[in-house]
Amino acid sequence: MNEDKPGDSQNLACVFCRKNDDCPNKYGEKKTYEKWNLTVHYYCLLMSSGIWQRGKEEEGVYGFLIEDIRKEVNRASKLKCCICKKTGASIGCVAPRCKRSYHFPCGLQKECIFQFTGNFASFCWNHRPVQIITSNSYRESLPCTICLEFIEPIPTYSILRSPCCKNAWFHRECLQVQAINAGVFFFRCTICNNSDIFQKEMLRMGIHIPEKDASWELEENAYQELLQHYEHCDVRRCRCKEGRDYNVPDSKWEIKRCQCCGSSGTHLACSSLRSWEENWECLECRGIIYNSGEFQKAKKHALPNSNVGITDCLLEESSPKLPRQSPGAQSKDLLRQGSKFRRDISAILIELGFQIKKKTKRLYINKANIWNSALDGFRNQNFNPSYAIEVAYVNENDNFGREHPGSKQEFLSLLMQHLENSSLFEGSLSKNLSLNSQALKENLYYEAGKMLAISLVHGGPSPGFFSKTLFNCLVYGPENTEPILDDVSDFDVAQIIIRINTATNMADLKSIINECYNYLEFIGCLRLTTTLSDKSMLVKDILVYHVIKRVQAPFESFKQGLKTLGVLEKIQTYPEAFCSILCHKPGNLSAKILSDLFTVHTLPDVQALGFWNSYLQAVEDGKSATTMEDILIFATGCSSIPPAGFKPTPSIECLHMDFPVGNKCNNCLAVPITNTYKEFQENMDFAIRNTLRLEKEESSHYIEH
């Protein structure tokens, strides 16, 4: 299609409104088609009452056929505009018995409303839709939330109110400009980010929302400068002889950016930072943090012995979160003052739990096939991670299809146990991601990350099996992580690394390299070795490939899954808190911990309660075949206390019966009332041990069959 703008001014006028104005925000895009001697405003064409889009998008003009446009122009030439009194009024009010016709620009001037949705209806100034508020409680002017100019909070043609945020008001012109720039995918309430309700109301009130991507997304390299890392030392006295812009990774001259703003930097040596992992804030950000009262100012500590003078260290440039001490002293000090500098993990998880809605989603779980039944539930199109989870246990061998109410925390505990021992991870105790091509094809690494995130937010147990390397990759990025030999689970690869590392001369080193030539070539780690010290770089290359680069695709997929419910963002914000539950197993349970954990809700039998406390002490002292974990599993389904705590709180009651009963759905333990402590202990041991044994046997039986 030839598109041009000839010199004849008459041809440049829109065939509908007969105006030469070229204002896309008001009249839509103006186009001239030399082939048909035709110029139109998009909105004039779109809102004309007697024309329909009968062609495809690429046919005619925006899908309107040329012969249809000619007919519509001819029809409009017989209609007089009720505003300017000239012919060519192609738009009519859709209100019943209203005979008003007008040009599009005239309608805008007279404050008509044009709805760019559905049948593209038009309403004159007497019949246009209005926004109704029950009472005007706004006595003072409020700012337009786009341009921030103050307006009277009264809904009129030029002033609109958000349907989702009652205190959000806008100029119509501001909304229209924003809608055109943002497009349907990004146009939303500026206060709460709601899009569905907001867009529906704005379309009703005549705001055109084009079906296109946002203008800032279409501009090539629009934010290229944001991808550049800030690399400049800004401390008052830079000690680097090569200058403030000198940056050498993995050395004391590596530049560390401010963890708050990212727009200031320091060489590690210039602020006496011993490693890149240490926190550092610039003076401006530190002042804001201090003034906000969020952190208490750290006490000054004596400097360790060093060759650096006290004036060169510039104490004011170091981070208040990590006072300048020896590494051992730092760890102890952080443990003592953790409440000052770190948030408690339970508080973080409880805060994440605020996302959980009251609406529930029931998951049908087969204990014998925990992974696949969980996968089916989480992949269900009706599953929403923010819905409350209900668990129903089913047995595929049950011909009657019966279901039994299950414990959510028991289900999550079993799921985490399965995940830890799955083929998605490798390693004995501290695990890294494995390379499983079938799992990658089935997107199971993403599902694993998603399950971990859901488990943490919904009150599941501490995973506790991440290696420090996997954790650091998630927090600081793979490029800032150095794997160690313990991360290598492949025996052959570990042997190659050990042999290279223990080579005592160049002859041995070259012999090993020649022997492993094919492997080193395959992984891209062949390097020129001229001195024995080169072996350390070779070992580092092998470790980085095997532990990080080899599993790059699984890692990225796993990372995306962890973003569910905002968990990854919290991990990166509070790494020390999450390290305690992702990389470390929970501590051992004690009699006091369990005694404090279980609350007494009913009037207790004093003797039975005394027997209970004595029983806990006997278990702790090893005088029973039962363990503390067994008791907790019997009552709640979990072998440890979840980081966010139990919900509901575990309780204990005393009943006239022979044996204890555990209700895992309510975290309730009913203990028997007996005549003697010996009888109490025997009955408790017998019931707990045999119940757990039968559950294991039942699960194994289903798996075998």
Side-chain angles (χ1 to χ4, degrees), residues 515-530:
E515 189 178 326
C516 306
Y517 184 89
N518 291 337
Y519 171 72
L520 295 175
E521 183 182 38
F522 175 74
I523 67 175
C525 291
L526 273 179
R527 61 166 49 242
L528 181 65
T529 52
T530 56

Side-chain angles (χ1 to χ4, degrees), residues 534-554:
D534 291 338
K535 68 180 183 180
S536 60
M537 290 303 298
L538 180 57
V539 166
K540 182 178 178 181
D541 289 346
I542 298 173
L543 284 171
V544 169
Y545 168 79
H546 188 82
V547 181
I548 295 178
K549 291 183 178 179
R550 182 176 64 97
V551 294
Q552 184 176 359

Side-chain angles (χ1 to χ4, degrees), residues 4-55:
D4 199 0
K5 294 187 178 181
D8 188 352
S9 61
Q10 183 60 35
N11 288 341
L12 289 176
C14 173
V15 294
F16 289 105
C17 70
R18 299 172 187 174
K19 287 184 175 290
N20 295 333
D21 304 45
D22 188 2
C23 184
N25 288 347
K26 291 178 69 175
Y27 309 135
E29 188 178 13
K30 180 184 177 184
K31 284 197 174 182
T32 297
Y33 298 86
E34 187 181 36
K35 181 178 178 181
W36 299 301
N37 193 27
L38 186 69
T39 298
V40 291
H41 288 126
Y42 179 48
Y43 295 168
C44 293
L45 175 61
L46 203 59
M47 301 307 304
S48 292
S49 303
I51 190 170
W52 288 267
Q53 192 178 33
R54 296 195 301 128

Side-chain angles (χ1 to χ4, degrees), residues 342-353 355 452-458 460-468 470-472 474-476 562 564-586 643-644:
R342 299 195 304 262
R343 290 192 60 189
D344 183 70
I345 185 62
S346 61
I348 299 170
L349 294 178
I350 290 170
E351 182 181 290
L352 283 170
Q355 302 174 79
L452 273 161
I454 291 173
S455 176
L456 288 172
V457 177
H458 284 263
S462 304
F465 60 84
F466 282 28
S467 72
K468 284 290 182 65
L470 175 57
F471 182 78
N472 288 339
L474 291 169
V475 176
Y476 307 110
L562 270 179
T564 304
L565 296 172
V567 170
L568 180 62
E569 182 182 352
K570 290 293 184 183
I571 291 174
Q572 293 171 339
T573 306
Y574 304 105
E576 292 175 20
F578 277 92
C579 183
S580 64
I581 64 169
L582 294 178
C583 300
H584 302 283
K585 291 293 185 182

